[in-house]
Each structure stands twice: as structure tokens, then as C-alpha cells.
């Protein structure tokens, strides 16, 4: 079932399990079909779960284990219905259909599960497929799955931040009206913020409650909450507080109660004094991780921007200059939101030595987009590098980008051939609405051999500059964008990477400008790359940003730099 050599944690657990004590029986008695299916699952780096026999005994690989949370490793060899008892009312019917010979596919399916000791809101994209014995009978089920919780939550939170950023200035007739308009937006985000309250500082230094949702408006606020509000305003820091028994309006009996809230100071860039505090409850169904905290802080930042903007509108005309500064701060806020949320969708990337990446949203927008980059560690010391661009902007483009990036990463780990990766992405993109005509540049770097193998799906050519300043445009393996022509053969080319050379992969936002030929933009990027060829990748990234993006491009930009050793 498994090749020789070192085994992964999941492979070791399977090899060391006492299968004779399970309904599957000893390994020697397993059918060839079962042994083949187990080998397929354990040798894949894509999350897979095999459920075998009438009892649906679970065997899964390392990539699937994190989805189990605290149920791993006890889930290995256990019954599916026992391990996933909390979501069985949702998946049980799917399992029955697959046992009858049907396949299923679910995209971003919401599941509330208690895998880590609390009822957690999660989302998964997965497919159940029957595994057949030679006689045609269904002997087991194969589950290929990806947890999409972070992407779904990031998209949902992005919508809220977009709405906060898009509030019309007509609501700023008064400070209270501005706070109420912002609260109305947050009230629609009950899954992330079950209840919220805005406390503002008056001109005389007093603090008053001006707007809220999710709790009874006339109910006296607890003393602990008021202390947290005063502390948040005084220190400019986020204060955590317990809110036992504070059930949001409309919560049904038996649902998890809110137990924690955060008092967030309402501050804007350039001002040391908070104008108030926003109390937001934390959902009992979500992990309070960094992305969650960033979203709450960004929401507070936009509420603060709305309130201070209202104060500016009502101020004297001398505040015109202050308004200009506020507009600048707002523009910076929009950019910070877009970059933060784009990184949440892209997921964390720990870059190897000699790499640098950069993402920048289109000027003046509060949107994620379809540009992406990726660096994948490959066995043997190589790297898979990808830069791509989905047609369009906004959440739809970002959702397509997330799927293509995840699929490309999995394919690179399995294939390590750029042409094969793009051929498979062609077929995958044809099944994803909105993915047609996406462009991708995919390459494999071999630092030891000093070589680069690449293939391009309609993407702008990568640039390679040697230590002497000679520039090469990598356009020898260019094909059509994704999903344009069924069965298209993807070309592939090898080039040498001389010591000290620099590789730049980028999206068209870096080089494309209105009323200018694309070749002019590529020439400008080449010149900047030559100027900085002796810099390390991090300062070179800043140099490219300063020289090529100073004119605030109207398209998203992503680029990736690599410097060969030597």
C-alpha cells in the first residue's frame, strides 16, 4: 500500500493500528480493492477520507486530519456515524445515496460541528464517490474535501466592510445618525457580531450610548461593560469582557449563548484620542483567531471614520483641511482592508529564502480581486511558483481565484510539471463559473541544477535578468488562457537560471496603463529590474513598487521575485 522510506504521521498510524480489532479485520485479509484505495488515500497530499464496509470505518491521510480537530487520531478506524455524529443529520442522506451508487458534490456546505469542544461554524467543499469491488458492488466511499471556512468567512466579512465603507455621506447629518447607520450595517452581520453598542464621548467628556442592536435598548448596561468602555477609550486598546446571560435578541432557546464581547476604541489614523468605543459580541460558534480580530478592528475603524466624518461635517469651515487629511486616511484604510482581506483569502505564505512577493489593490478601491501568487516547496529542494489573474474584480473574482490557487497548489505537489498543472487546471477551470479566460504563469525552480521549467496560459511573459543586466522575456511556452479550448496541449520550456540572476513573475496591473502599449510597460519593468538586480529581493520589491506603482494603477497588482544563489 505504501512505498518504502520514511512514513508520515497518518501512514504510521495506519500501519501501526490493530485492524483485526475493527470490522475491517486484519490487513492480510483485506481485498485488493481496499488495499488499493487505502494506498491512494495515504499517498495523496490532497485531503482524503476512505469509509469502508457497512460500518463505514474511517481511514484518512495527513491532509484530512486537521479537519477532525480534537477527533484525531481517535477517528482512525472508527465508524463515520460516531465520529461525525454532530453533522450526521446533514451528511447522512448523502452517504446513503453514495452507498446506492451515486456520487455527490457540495460546495461551501455549512456545517456546525463540535470537533474542538464548542459548536463551530465551518464550511467545506467536498465530493463523495463510491468505491466499487470488481463485481460492481459498492464496498466503500471516498471523500475528497477542502475546508473553505476561512475563505467563506473572509468573503462574508468583506461584504460588511464594503457596506460600511460605502455609506453615503447623507447619513452624516449628525453624529448619532452616522453611528446608527453604521450599526444598521453591523446588525445584518449577526453571524460575526451577535450584538453591538456604540458609546461616544461628548464635548464635556461624558460617555453616552448612542446606538445599538441585538440587545434590549432600555436595559441598563452591566457595570463591567461600562468599565471596559472607559478603559478602551482611555488606553486606545481592545478590552475583552465577559457577558454571561446576554442573549442577543431573537436567539432561540437551546442555542449557544454569547459569553464574550470586545470593547474596541473608536480611533482614526492621525488622532491619539478615541471618540468612543464599539462593543461587539463574539460569536460562540467561531474561533477568535487573528482574522476575526482584524475584521472586528477594521469594522471599528470604519465606524470611527463615519463618526469623525460626521463631526467634521458639522464643524466650522476651518476643518476643510482636516477633512482632506481624513480623506487620505480613509483611502489608506480602504487599501489596508483590501490587502488584509486578500491575504486572508490567499492564506498564509511562508516564503523561502531569496523570494519576495507583493500584492496591491487597485487605487481607491475597497475590493479583493482575482490576482494571486503562490510559492510551493517541492520534494528534492525545488519550488513551484505561480502567478495568475482571474477576469474581473470583487468577491466573485476572489472566490474563483481561491479555487484555482488551491487546485494549482495541489497539482504542483502531485505533478511538478508546469504543463501538466495547466492542462489539469484547464479541465478544472471549465467546471468553475467565472474561471474561463483566467491567465496563469506556472514554473518549477530547481536551485541545485540552476534551471527553470515553465508554461504560460495566456499570461504576460516573466522577466529574467542576469547579473550583467541582460533581460530575457520568457514567452517560449505560451498558450491560450484557461478553459478557452478544450483539450489544448500545453507547451513547456526549460531555461537556465545563471547564478545571481533575478526572476520576476507579475500580473498585468504592474505594466499595463491606459493610452500606453503593453510593451512599453514591460520595458519599464525590465529597466527597473536591471537597476535593482544587485539588491536583495525584499528591497528590490520596494524598488519595483516605488518605480512602477507610483502612479496609482487602476488594476490590482501581484508580483513574485526570486534570486538564484550565487
Amino acid at each position: 500500500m505504501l512505498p518504502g522510506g520514511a512514513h508520515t504521521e497518518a501512514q504510521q498510524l495506519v500501519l501501526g493500528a490493530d485492524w483485526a480489532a475493527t470490522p475491517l479485520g486484519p490487513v492480510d485479509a483485506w481485498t485488493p480493492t481496499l488495499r488499493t484505495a487505502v494506498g491512494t488515500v495515504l499517498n495523496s497530499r490532497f485531503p482524503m477520507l476512505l469509509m469502508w464496509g457497512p460500518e463505514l470505518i474511517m481511514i484518512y491521510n495527513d491532509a484530512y486530519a486537521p479537519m477532525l480537530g480534537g477527533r484525531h487520531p481517535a477517528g482512525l478506524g472508527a465508524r463515520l456515524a460516531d465520529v461525525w455524529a454532530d453533522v450526521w443529520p446533514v451528511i447522512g442522506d448523502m452517504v446513503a445515496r453514495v452507498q446506492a451508487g451515486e456520487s455527490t458534490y457540495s460546495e461551501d456546505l455549512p456545517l456546525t460541528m463540535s470537533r474542538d469542544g464548542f459548536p463551530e461554524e465551518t464550511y467545506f467543499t467536498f465530493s463523495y464517490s463510491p468505491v466499487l469491488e470488481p463485481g460492481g458492488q459498492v464496498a466503500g466511499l471516498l471523500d475528497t474535501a477542502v475546508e473553505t471556512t476561512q475563505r467563506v468567512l473572509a468573503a462574508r466579512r468583506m461584504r460588511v466592510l464594503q457596506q460600511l465603507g460605502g455609506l453615503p455621506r447623507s447619513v452624516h447629518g449628525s453624529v448619532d445618525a452616522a453611528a446608527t447607520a453604521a450599526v444598521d450595517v453591523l446588525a445584518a452581520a449577526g453571524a460575526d457580531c451577535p450584538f453591538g453598542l456604540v458609546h461616544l464621548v461628548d464635548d464635556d467628556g461624558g460617555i453616552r450610548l448612542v446606538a445599538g442592536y441585538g440587545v434590549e435598548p432600555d436595559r441598563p448596561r452591566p457595570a463591567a461593560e461600562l468599565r471596559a468602555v472607559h478603559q478602551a477609550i482611555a488606553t486606545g486598546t481592545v478590552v475583552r469582557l465577559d457577558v454571561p446571560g446576554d442573549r442577543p435578541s431573537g436567539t432561540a432557546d437551546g442555542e449557544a449563548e454569547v459569553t464574550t464581547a470586545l470593547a474596541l476604541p473608536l480611533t482614526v489614523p492621525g488622532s491619539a484620542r478615541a471618540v468612543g468605543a464599539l462593543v461587539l459580541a463574539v460569536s460562540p460558534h467561531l474561533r477568535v483567531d487573528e482574522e476575526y480580530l482584524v475584521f472586528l478592528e477594521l469594522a471599528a475603524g470604519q465606524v470611527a471614520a463615519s463618526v469623525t466624518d460626521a463631526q467634521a461635517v458639522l464643524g466650522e469651515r476651518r476643518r476643510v483641511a482636516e477633512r482632506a487629511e481624513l480623506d487620505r486616511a480613509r483611502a489608506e484604510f480602504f487599501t489596508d482592508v483590501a490587502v488584509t482581506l486578500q491575504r486572508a483569502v490567499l492564506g498564509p505564505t511562508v516564503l523561502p529564502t531569496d523570494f519576495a512577493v507583493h500584492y496591491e489593490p487597485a487605487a481607491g478601491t475597497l475590493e479583493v480581486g482575482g490576482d494571486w501568487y503562490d510559492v510551493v516547496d517541492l520534494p528534492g529542494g525545488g519550488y513551484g511558483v505561480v502567478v495568475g489573474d482571474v477576469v474581473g474584480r470583487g468577491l466573485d473574482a476572489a472566490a474563483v481565484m481561491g479555487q484555482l490557487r488551491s487546485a494549482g497548489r495541489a497539482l504542483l505537489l502531485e505533478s511538478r510539471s508546469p504543463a501538466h498543472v495547466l492542462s489539469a487546471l484547464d479541465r478544472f477551470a471549465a467546471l468553475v463559473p467565472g474561471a474561463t479566460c483566467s491567465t496563469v504563469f506556472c514554473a518549477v525552480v530547481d536551485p541545485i541544477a540552476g534551471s527553470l521549467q515553465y508554461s504560460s496560459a495566456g499570461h504576460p511573459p516573466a522577466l529574467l535578468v542576469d547579473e550583467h543586466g541582460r533581460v530575457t522575456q520568457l514567452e517560449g511556452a505560451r498558450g491560450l488562457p484557461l478553459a478557452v479550448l478544450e483539450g489544448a496541449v500545453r507547451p513547456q520550456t526549460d531555461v537556465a537560471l545563471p547564478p545571481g540572476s533575478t526572476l520576476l513573475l507579475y500580473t498585468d496591473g504592474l505594466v499595463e496603463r491606459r493610452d500606453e502599449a503593453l510593451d512599453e510597460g514591460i520595458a519599464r519593468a525590465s529597466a527597473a529590474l536591471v537597476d535593482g538586480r544587485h539588491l536583495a529581493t525584499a528591497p528590490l520589491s520596494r524598488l519595483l513598487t516605488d518605480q512602477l506603482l507610483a502612479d496609482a494603477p487602476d488594476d490590482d497588482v501581484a508580483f513574485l521575485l526570486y534570486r538564484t544563489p550565487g
Side-chain angles (χ1 to χ4, degrees):
M1 296 185 295
L2 297 173
H7 293 128
T8 66
E9 178 191 1
Q11 291 172 344
Q12 292 175 5
L13 289 172
V14 171
L15 292 174
D18 181 14
W19 293 105
T22 73
L24 297 186
V27 175
D28 293 342
W30 287 5
T31 67
T33 304
L34 174 54
R35 298 170 71 87
T36 299
V38 171
T40 298
V41 169
L42 295 181
N43 290 318
S44 175
R45 296 196 180 189
F46 200 82
M48 286 188 177
L49 163 67
L50 179 67
M51 302 152 275
W52 199 263
E55 300 292 322
L56 297 175
I57 302 302
M58 292 175 49
I59 301 175
Y60 50 84
N61 60 12
D62 295 88
Y64 184 87
M67 300 182 191
L68 290 163
R71 296 168 179 175
H72 171 71
L76 188 67
R79 295 174 65 251
L80 178 72
D82 294 336
V83 175
W84 292 117
D86 47 1
V87 297
W88 190 254
V90 179
I91 68 172
D93 179 63
M94 299 182 193
V95 170
R97 286 157 50 196
V98 180
Q99 287 177 312
E102 181 183 344
S103 295
T104 69
Y105 176 78
S106 301
E107 184 172 358
D108 295 336
L109 182 69
L111 295 171
T112 300
M113 58 179 64
S114 299
R115 57 184 174 178
D116 285 313
F118 72 99
E120 180 184 1
E121 177 188 357
T122 65
Y123 297 85
F124 291 85
T125 293
F126 61 95
S127 174
Y128 286 159
S129 306
V131 181
L132 306 179
E133 289 284 8
Q137 67 273 26
V138 177
L141 285 67
L142 182 64
D143 174 21
T144 54
V146 175
E147 181 168 357
T148 58
T149 302
Q150 288 301 322
R151 179 174 61 78
V152 172
L153 293 182
R156 183 173 77 192
R157 293 163 181 171
M158 186 64 194
R159 293 189 188 95
V160 176
L161 294 172
Q162 283 180 312
Q163 291 172 343
L164 286 173
L167 286 174
R169 299 195 67 192
S170 61
V171 305
H172 296 154
S174 70
V175 171
D176 289 10
T180 300
V183 160
D184 289 343
V185 173
L186 293 173
D192 287 298
C193 311
F195 71 79
L197 300 162
V198 177
H199 299 260
L200 294 181
V201 179
D202 282 336
D203 293 338
D204 59 2
I207 299 174
R208 63 189 179 93
L209 175 64
V210 298
Y213 70 93
V215 293
E216 298 177 9
D218 299 329
R219 179 180 175 181
R221 303 313 304 158
E225 178 185 304
L226 297 179
R227 286 195 299 270
V229 167
H230 280 80
Q231 183 179 350
I233 294 173
T235 64
T237 59
V238 178
V239 180
R240 192 184 188 104
L241 66 147
D242 296 329
V243 286
D246 227 345
R247 182 186 293 275
S249 304
T251 303
D253 292 338
E255 289 188 16
E257 292 187 359
V258 172
T259 59
T260 304
L262 300 178
L264 302 114
L266 297 179
T267 57
V268 293
S271 174
R273 179 175 175 270
V275 298
L278 172 65
V279 177
L280 289 177
V282 175
S283 169
H285 300 296
L286 294 173
R287 299 176 184 274
V288 186
D289 54 17
E290 182 179 357
E291 287 77 13
Y292 197 177
L293 292 175
V294 166
F295 162 68
L296 297 177
E297 289 174 350
L298 290 172
Q302 188 53 57
V303 173
S306 296
V307 169
T308 53
D309 194 28
Q311 293 172 336
V313 170
L314 299 175
E316 300 176 2
R317 296 303 179 188
R318 63 179 176 79
R319 305 214 24 198
V320 171
E322 295 179 12
R323 184 181 305 284
E325 177 62 19
L326 181 62
D327 290 341
R328 184 196 62 78
R330 185 185 296 277
E332 290 183 357
F333 170 79
F334 289 165
T335 299
D336 289 344
V337 171
V339 171
T340 300
L341 269 296
Q342 184 79 6
R343 287 173 179 167
V345 175
L346 284 174
T349 299
V350 178
L351 293 175
T353 305
D354 296 323
F355 280 90
V357 294
H358 180 79
Y359 170 79
E360 185 167 324
T365 66
L366 185 58
E367 290 186 338
V368 291
D371 291 14
W372 85 91
Y373 55 75
D374 205 357
V375 180
V376 182
D377 287 305
L378 300 178
Y383 305 106
V385 292
V386 180
V387 167
D389 188 357
V390 173
V391 177
R393 289 185 188 170
L395 296 172
D396 291 340
V400 174
M401 175 273 288
Q403 295 181 69
L404 291 179
R405 180 180 183 273
S406 297
R409 171 172 280 257
L411 290 167
L412 269 170
L413 289 171
E414 293 296 326
S415 170
R416 286 173 282 179
S417 165
H420 291 169
V421 169
L422 294 186
S423 295
L425 275 181
D426 264 329
R427 298 188 292 273
F428 181 80
L431 303 176
V432 178
T436 301
C437 291
S438 299
T439 66
V440 182
F441 191 99
C442 178
V444 172
V445 176
D446 188 338
I448 298 175
S451 65
L452 177 79
Q453 190 177 65
Y454 72 92
S455 184
S456 173
H459 202 76
L463 300 177
L464 180 63
V465 177
D466 65 18
E467 62 178 352
H468 303 295
R470 289 185 292 265
V471 181
T472 302
Q473 294 188 25
L474 303 185
E475 51 188 357
R478 188 166 183 174
L480 294 171
L482 295 181
V484 172
L485 180 63
E486 183 176 358
V489 176
R490 290 293 176 185
Q492 183 169 290
T493 298
D494 293 279
V495 296
L497 293 177
S501 59
T502 305
L503 176 69
L504 171 66
L505 278 62
Y506 56 93
T507 57
D508 55 10
L510 184 70
V511 297
E512 193 171 44
R513 298 292 181 270
R514 294 178 182 176
D515 303 321
E516 183 183 82
L518 183 62
D519 288 347
E520 295 180 46
I522 294 177
R524 187 167 53 250
S526 299
L529 206 58
V530 170
D531 290 343
R533 66 187 184 278
H534 298 306
L535 297 174
T537 52
L540 177 56
S541 174
R542 293 191 290 271
L543 174 69
L544 294 180
T545 301
D546 292 340
Q547 292 193 8
L548 303 180
L549 302 179
D551 57 349
D554 55 5
D555 194 7
D556 296 346
V557 175
F559 67 77
L560 179 151
L561 287 164
Y562 170 66
R563 172 70 48 72
T564 62

